[in-house]
């Protein structure tokens, strides 16, 4: 019998009791066996860590490769040797999301955008300055993305705003918009390749940069999907695909606009027992293979 495979326990144990724990299958096209089970790698300490409180978010800056993280209400940078430097304070207690942006002209410093459940922040890396977004048109919606030279902030009440080019802290009132097709709550804005996904609780609407005006986002015709995002932070992507946990607790993927379930019945039966409040989804690569990690609290 072939013992190499993933977890696939059936609710009826007489049908299948197969469970793979802390191991993963890897194909071996030219080996003695077509596939093998390998142990999931352990971990080692990279940084001793500073500060106190719960970890709220971590991010590697696109340009510098420096790791930034928020622990409690403190923002730190971590260099390649694991040394941490305190930058400033990020308010709130929930998940923190990051986005890096650079001006296309090159005469404006590289910036790190940060959103919490209470505020938006801009960290100027070149001048080591952390500022709070105080524009009167901004309200903290919890996510931010950039495309080309534009920055798009998620706002409260299903709204989003396109900031001034080169100045993510400045938002003109006429550049505040509502996602047109939504009849549900906007959970998170996410960018995959050249598409901006407005991810709601029960539907997802894709936009693209139309290149015209100060608010260039144009909805993709007939692109709205009837699958939502279960919680902010439950979406990730690699070089090929975008993955997210839908409002039905199913893991989906897409490389365009059509959602495709990648969840087997046995895994779906397991996921339905978990609380996704505060959950996170991460895309990682191990030995050339792509993995999706779903980090949740204990089962209900």
């Amino acid at each position: 019998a072939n013992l190499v495979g993933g977890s696939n326990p059936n609710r009826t144990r007489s049908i299948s009791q197969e469970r793979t724990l802390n191991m993963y299958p890897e194909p071996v096209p030219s080996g003695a066996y077509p596939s093998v089970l390998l142990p999931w790698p352990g971990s080692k300490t990279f940084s001793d860590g500073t500060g106190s409180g719960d970890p709220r978010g971590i991010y590697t800056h696109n340009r510098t490769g420096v790791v930034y993280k928020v622990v409690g209400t403190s923002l730190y940078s971590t260099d390649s040797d694991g040394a941490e430097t305190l930058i400033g304070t990020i308010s709130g207690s929930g998940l923190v999301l990051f986005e890096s942006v650079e001006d296309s002209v090159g005469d404006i410093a590289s910036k790190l955008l940060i959103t919490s459940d209470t505020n938006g922040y801009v960290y100027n890396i070149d001048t080591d300055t952390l500022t709070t977004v105080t524009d009167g048109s901004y309200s903290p919606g919890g996510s931010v993305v950039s495309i080309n030279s534009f920055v798009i902030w998620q706002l409260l009440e299903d709204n989003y705003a396109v900031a001034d080019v080169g100045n993510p802290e400045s938002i003109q009132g006429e550049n505040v918009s509502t996602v047109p097709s939504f009849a549900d709550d906007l959970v998170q804005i996410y960018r995959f390749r050249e598409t901006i996904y407005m991810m709601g609780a029960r539907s997802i609407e894709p936009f693209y940069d139309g290149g015209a005006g100060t608010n260039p986002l144009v909805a993709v015709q007939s692109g709205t999907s009837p699958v939502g995002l279960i919680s902010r932070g439950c979406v990730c992507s690699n070089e090929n695909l975008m993955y997210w946990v839908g409002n039905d607790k199913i893991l989906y993927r897409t490389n365009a606009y059509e959602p495709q379930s990648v969840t087997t019945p046995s895994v779906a039966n397991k996921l339905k027992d978990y609380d996704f409040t505060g959950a996170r989804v991460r895309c990682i690569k191990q030995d050339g293979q792509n993995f999706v990690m779903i980090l949740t609290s204990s089962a209900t």
Side-chain angles (χ1 to χ4, degrees), residues 139-207:
S139 57
S143 66
V144 59
V145 298
S146 64
I147 181 170
N148 300 327
S149 57
F150 291 94
V151 169
I152 302 102
W153 295 94
Q154 179 185 353
L155 308 181
L156 295 176
E157 299 179 353
D158 304 335
N159 293 325
Y160 69 92
V162 179
D164 295 347
V165 176
N167 188 3
E169 300 174 64
S170 178
I171 301 170
Q172 304 302 317
E174 59 269 23
N175 292 341
V176 175
S177 303
T178 300
V179 184
S181 298
F182 267 26
D184 54 346
D185 296 327
L186 179 59
V187 178
Q188 181 177 341
I189 303 176
Y190 190 81
R191 176 186 173 182
F192 175 58
R193 294 180 175 171
E194 296 304 308
T195 301
I196 301 297
Y197 290 86
M198 302 291 180
M199 311 189 77
R202 296 185 301 277
S203 63
I204 298 174
E205 184 168 3
F207 286 71

Side-chain angles (χ1 to χ4, degrees), residues 7-11 16 18 263-271:
S7 289
N8 192 35
N10 194 277
R11 283 176 292 182
S16 173
E18 182 181 35
T263 310
T264 63
S266 60
V267 174
N269 185 53
K270 189 68 176 178
L271 289 179

